[in-house]
Amino acid sequence: KVDEWRDEGNGVYSAPVSGVEYVRNLYINGYPAVRARSEKRYKAGNIYHEEGSTYAKDGFSVSKDYVKERFDTKREDIELVWMYTNSNNWESRRTPVESIIETETDLTFVLDRGVLNYVSSRFRNGNIFYFENGKELLDTPGEFYYNKDEGRIYYMPHAEEDMKNAQAYVGT
């Protein structure tokens, strides 16, 4: 159960959440909220391999001109949701973003290598992806973001929702 909502300003409320590491579901008065996500879908650029890494793939790079969103560079809360298709298969995978390396021209998303390399043969240049669970993505009523370091959930309610009396629950 989630209560003790406080007004953070700009139409966003937050509340403490304890006893969970990841939150992928939030229910407000019995209705599911949407995890904050990027509006645009992107194509992965060049595969990134970190010098000295024992993994085949550590992430990917894209042009800064291509990605609309800007994130803090240390972002373990953000997940990359990417799609893989071939003639026989369609999959959707979630991979946590460990960090973001920003240069003058590119953004390199270093991903959770254990998760990424478990499915590395399917992750390649050109995969379609979007971002989820970034505070910077919280821009539409009905969306939420969970910050596990703070142990707080942030929610942008619809105009008719009264957060002082809301019945709210999280799920992992």
Side-chain angles (χ1 to χ4, degrees), residues 2 6 18 31 50 61 68 72 79 121 124 127-129 132 136 147-148:
V2 181
R6 80 174 178 216
S18 61
Y31 294 96
E50 197 168 80
S61 298
K68 173 183 147 184
D72 291 336
E79 286 186 338
S121 65
R124 56 183 66 115
N127 282 123
I128 303 297
F129 72 91
E132 264 192 8
E136 302 85 349
N147 184 313
K148 70 179 175 184

Side-chain angles (χ1 to χ4, degrees), residues 39-77:
E39 290 178 32
K40 188 175 176 183
R41 303 302 186 250
Y42 300 102
K43 282 188 179 181
N46 296 325
I47 297 299
Y48 170 70
H49 178 73
E50 197 168 80
E51 188 174 325
S53 173
T54 59
Y55 292 100
K57 299 174 185 176
D58 297 297
F60 66 94
S61 298
V62 294
S63 167
K64 283 172 76 171
D65 295 335
Y66 184 56
V67 176
K68 173 183 147 184
E69 295 83 12
R70 289 295 178 262
F71 304 104
D72 291 336
T73 55
K74 179 76 170 131
R75 293 314 303 265
E76 294 175 354
D77 293 334

Side-chain angles (χ1 to χ4, degrees), residues 98-113:
E98 287 185 0
S99 64
I100 302 168
I101 301 168
E102 186 171 347
T103 66
E104 211 172 292
T105 58
D106 294 323
L107 294 171
T108 298
F109 296 92
V110 180
L111 304 177
D112 180 303
R113 292 154 177 103

Side-chain angles (χ1 to χ4, degrees), residues 78-135:
I78 295 174
E79 286 186 338
L80 182 94
V81 182
W82 57 278
M83 284 50 111
Y84 166 77
T85 59
N86 66 23
S87 59
N88 301 319
N89 200 11
W90 181 89
E91 296 178 18
S92 176
R93 297 282 184 164
R94 295 175 184 278
T95 309
V97 174
E98 287 185 0
S99 64
I100 302 168
I101 301 168
E102 186 171 347
T103 66
E104 211 172 292
T105 58
D106 294 323
L107 294 171
T108 298
F109 296 92
V110 180
L111 304 177
D112 180 303
R113 292 154 177 103
V115 174
L116 176 62
N117 284 278
Y118 176 71
V119 292
S120 75
S121 65
R122 295 182 180 104
F123 188 81
R124 56 183 66 115
N125 185 319
N127 282 123
I128 303 297
F129 72 91
Y130 61 91
F131 301 104
E132 264 192 8
N133 200 49
K135 191 171 189 176

Side-chain angles (χ1 to χ4, degrees), residues 124-157:
R124 56 183 66 115
N125 185 319
N127 282 123
I128 303 297
F129 72 91
Y130 61 91
F131 301 104
E132 264 192 8
N133 200 49
K135 191 171 189 176
E136 302 85 349
L137 304 171
L138 188 59
D139 60 2
T140 304
E143 286 186 335
F144 74 94
Y145 152 72
Y146 177 64
N147 184 313
K148 70 179 175 184
D149 289 340
E150 294 177 3
R152 291 195 81 75
I153 195 157
Y154 294 82
Y155 177 65
M156 183 178 283

